Each structure stands twice: as C-alpha cells, then as structure tokens.
Amino acid sequence: MTTRLGILSFLCVLSLSLHAQKPYRGDGADDWLRFVPVASTYALKVSGVRSASSWKRLAVNSTLAYALSSGVTWGLKCAVRERRPDWTDRRSFPSGHTSAAFAGATILDKEEYRHVSPWISVAGYAVATGVAVDRVARHRHHWHDVVAGASIGVGGTLLGYWIGDKLTGEGCRYGVGVGAEGVALVIHL
C-alpha cells in the first residue's frame, strides 16, 4: 500500500512539474541587438566622426532618454500585467527590448548622425525594427506590445533631449550674456 501511495505521489509531483514548464523560446539576438544603435552612436563619437552634440550633451540627453523610456516601460509593465504569448509571465506590455532599441535608434538619428548620412539613421531604425520583429516571432510579445515599446522609445528620447537641452543650455536658440556694458540677448537662427 505504501509503495503504491509513494508511486502515486511521485507521479502527481512529476505531472505538476511537467505542467509548470513554460514554452520559453530562449534568449535571442534581440538581447544584445537592442543596444547596437546607442553603442553605434558612442562608437562613431569615439572614432572621431563629427556629431551634432558635445560629449556633455550626448551623455546627459541619452541618459535622460533611457531613464524616461525605461521608467515608462516598466511602470506600464507593472500596471498593465498583460500575459506574454508564450505564457512565461505577465510583463508583456509594452516591449522593453523594443523601447530600448528605438530609444537608441532615435539618439543615433535625432541629433547625432543624421547630418553625416541618412543611411546611418536608416540602419539604426532597421536594427530596432529587427528587434521588434524578433520579439513577436519568438512569441515574447504581441504586435501592440512592440508598437507601444517603439513609441515609448522614440517619445522618451525626444522628451529626454528636450529636458536635457533645458538643463544644460545646449541646443538652445537663445542666450543671454551680462557684461560690463550691459545685457545682451543672442538669438541663433
């Protein structure tokens, strides 16, 4: 009797543990590809390609862009709690990988290297789009998750650049100078 009960208990535990296994598709290239656009921005800057920003402006604005994008993304993940298509957890909406990829692509495009070649911007957004497609293809996200993530990444970067320019005074069209002979207002056209 105890042998049968032991075997029955073992089979119940085994069936529960097998049922708890989730069809996670593993880590893919999107785990590192999401950082390629922003890494490219800094690599081009280090290699001496002329960008539209100083090091100070790039550091402040890109930090703010990622902080805003990540904050909004994780806040929504905790608030919405949508189940992933592969049922691994309830953090599907919005896509954090896509948000980070599009934030980096927008940094690469917005102020840094669009003036050098539009193809640099195209490459950044192509990598970000590849990350989004991969997230859906591997059943980690629904399409609306990656669209929201892309929007948050772009919007967070635009807002980060706007706030950063206000904080640092760089990228501003107006300047005020005070000297021995009075106050001067400078407008950059």
Side-chain angles (χ1 to χ4, degrees):
M1 180 71 169
T2 57
T3 307
R4 287 184 195 167
L5 186 59
I7 292 172
L8 183 61
S9 298
F10 173 76
L11 290 175
C12 287
V13 170
L14 180 65
S15 68
L16 286 175
S17 66
L18 288 175
H19 179 69
Q21 297 300 316
K22 298 172 182 132
Y24 178 61
R25 300 226 182 334
D27 298 327
D30 57 331
D31 280 342
W32 57 270
L33 277 176
R34 65 183 156 158
F35 299 116
V36 167
V38 74
S40 299
T41 302
Y42 282 91
L44 288 167
K45 182 91 169 159
V46 166
S47 66
V49 177
R50 188 180 60 82
S51 71
S53 297
S54 65
W55 275 106
K56 175 183 166 185
R57 182 173 187 244
L58 175 61
V60 169
N61 291 355
S62 62
T63 300
L64 282 170
Y66 270 98
L68 289 168
S69 297
S70 298
V72 170
T73 299
W74 285 106
L76 284 171
K77 279 183 179 291
C78 292
V80 174
R81 299 191 42 79
E82 179 182 20
R83 188 172 301 280
R84 293 184 187 273
D86 65 1
W87 288 67
T88 53
D89 60 37
R90 297 185 67 89
R91 292 189 309 258
S92 183
F93 182 85
S95 171
H97 285 71
T98 305
S99 177
F102 273 90
T106 306
I107 291 168
L108 184 64
D109 171 60
K110 166 123 176 68
E111 291 291 333
E112 303 308 324
Y113 295 103
R114 181 192 305 171
H115 69 279
V116 174
S117 172
W119 290 107
I120 294 173
S121 298
V122 169
Y125 284 117
V127 169
T129 301
V131 169
V133 169
D134 188 56
R135 298 301 286 173
V136 173
R138 290 189 315 107
H139 304 288
R140 298 294 287 157
H141 288 285
H142 304 281
W143 280 109
H144 64 272
D145 299 338
V146 296
V147 169
S151 301
I152 292 167
V154 171
T157 301
L158 296 176
L159 184 60
Y161 265 77
W162 183 79
I163 293 171
D165 286 346
K166 299 295 180 201
L167 291 174
T168 62
E170 291 188 39
C172 185
R173 292 185 49 207
Y174 307 102
V176 177
V178 179
E181 299 190 19
V183 178
L185 174 65
V186 177
I187 301 172
H188 300 279
L189 301 175

